[in-house]
Amino acid sequence: MGFIAVVSMVRNEADVIESFVRHNLGWADRLYVAVHESTDETLEILQALQKDGLSLRLSEVRGAAQLQSEVITALMHQAAEEGASFIVPLDADEFLLPDRGKLPGQSISSICRNVFAGLEEGKVYALPWVRYVPQPGKGFLLSRPAKHESKPESLAKILVGGEAVKQAGLSVSQGSHLALLPGRDGERQAVVSETLSGVHIAHY
């Protein structure tokens, strides 16, 4: 298996970006982050983390926020071409977590990575998307107590196999909720995805 990648487009996320990077690099091998016209310290924090040796691929983008789907699509194709077996688009306030938390003798990252071991690189999967509300505080976001919804949101987030990304014309919807392919009538059609169990996206 190749590497696991996260792709993200961020803007003005200085309060959560380090938590996002450090947590998601616990289970992913590489993060591709496009910084969109940030006016806070988001870019500087990312550059400092990169200098510390964390596996970050940084770029800057300008233009309307509606370009998010195009930017994420391009990052996914870049990751696939560089050898990623699986790619997960995430926002800066999203974290992959096990459904039942940390188990004895297992880390959160190992539980998450074990899920990828059973996936197929030619498929698209749906990750349940659960809303979390943390208590006020500073420091690592996931170390704070948080309440979460008992059921996932009606929309999911996608996880795409590297071979699936290479299909001609594959793109990502705004918000990364769907993988799309060109249809016969010219309209883009959603790829049927299999919903995963065992892990979910915590949306803070």
Side-chain angles (χ1 to χ4, degrees), residues 97 113 121 127 142 160 169:
L97 292 175
R113 288 188 70 90
E121 295 185 27
L127 285 164
L142 272 70
V160 187

Side-chain angles (χ1 to χ4, degrees), residues 99 127-132 148-157 195-196 199-201 203:
D99 288 346
L127 285 164
W129 193 38
V130 180
R131 185 183 301 274
Y132 280 62
H148 62 83
E149 299 291 337
S150 58
K151 294 182 179 180
E153 301 287 332
S154 57
L155 292 172
K157 300 282 286 195
T195 301
L196 290 181
V199 292
H200 63 276
I201 299 298
H203 179 208

Side-chain angles (χ1 to χ4, degrees), residues 104-117:
Q106 287 187 298
S107 65
I108 289 176
S109 60
S110 66
I111 296 170
C112 292
R113 288 188 70 90
N114 285 341
V115 171
F116 287 86

Side-chain angles (χ1 to χ4, degrees), residues 14-43:
D15 57 335
V16 298
I17 196 65
E18 184 169 0
S19 295
F20 168 80
V21 169
R22 291 191 182 279
H23 173 80
N24 289 312
L25 275 179
W27 57 267
D29 301 298
R30 190 179 299 175
L31 265 62
Y32 295 78
V33 183
V35 181
H36 175 236
E37 298 184 346
S38 280
T39 57
D40 66 2
E41 297 178 349
T42 297
L43 179 59

Side-chain angles (χ1 to χ4, degrees), residues 43-113:
L43 179 59
E44 289 77 11
I45 293 169
L46 288 167
Q47 290 171 333
L49 292 170
Q50 188 181 51
K51 288 180 180 178
D52 283 346
L54 276 69
S55 186
L56 286 167
R57 301 290 189 275
L58 301 180
S59 58
E60 294 184 67
V61 294
R62 300 191 179 279
Q66 285 78 7
L67 291 173
Q68 192 245 18
S69 61
E70 288 88 346
V71 171
I72 294 299
T73 295
L75 291 176
M76 288 187 69
H77 281 273
Q78 179 185 348
E81 290 300 323
E82 292 180 4
S85 292
F86 299 101
I87 301 122
V88 185
L90 293 177
D91 295 335
D93 57 0
E94 294 175 340
F95 304 79
L96 187 69
L97 292 175
D99 288 346
R100 297 183 180 179
K102 187 176 179 180
L103 300 175
Q106 287 187 298
S107 65
I108 289 176
S109 60
S110 66
I111 296 170
C112 292
R113 288 188 70 90

Side-chain angles (χ1 to χ4, degrees), residues 162-179:
E163 291 303 315
V165 173
K166 296 176 184 178
Q167 295 180 76
L170 185 136
S171 63
V172 180
S173 70
Q174 194 78 3
S176 304
H177 300 294
L178 299 170

